[in-house]
Amino acid sequence: MPKIKTKSGTKKRFKTTATGKVVMFPSCKRHNLSKRSKKMKRSAKGSTIMSKQDSKIVKKYMNAKI
């Protein structure tokens, strides 16, 4: 069986903490920000920890230990 390659998109979009949790950054903060409300831009500030169910999928793509 060949090795499973890592998905390079997940390496760029997500990071793992020392305890194994997945950190993600909110969407809709790259461009066209003049359309977005101030409340939306404030609430999408910073990073958040991904839910346990979704982080299993991301870790599989990153070839990290689950």
Side-chain angles (χ1 to χ4, degrees):
M1 294 289 296
K3 290 184 178 178
I4 298 172
K5 289 188 176 180
T6 59
K7 308 262 186 192
S8 59
T10 56
K11 289 189 293 186
K12 297 169 191 171
R13 289 177 173 86
F14 305 106
K15 294 177 183 178
T16 54
T17 62
T19 57
K21 295 176 183 174
V22 177
V23 176
M24 66 178 190
F25 295 92
S27 59
C28 307
K29 283 282 289 194
R30 295 280 182 232
H31 57 276
N32 294 337
L33 293 174
S34 58
K35 296 179 185 179
R36 316 248 189 254
S37 67
K38 286 184 179 184
K39 183 179 180 181
M40 183 268 156
K41 289 188 266 190
R42 274 197 317 273
S43 65
K45 192 188 328 182
S47 59
T48 56
I49 293 177
M50 187 177 277
S51 67
K52 191 175 180 182
Q53 294 82 7
D54 292 335
S55 64
K56 282 186 179 181
I57 299 166
V58 172
K59 284 181 185 179
K60 187 164 50 170
Y61 286 159
M62 294 173 76
N63 288 340
K65 293 182 182 177
I66 298 173

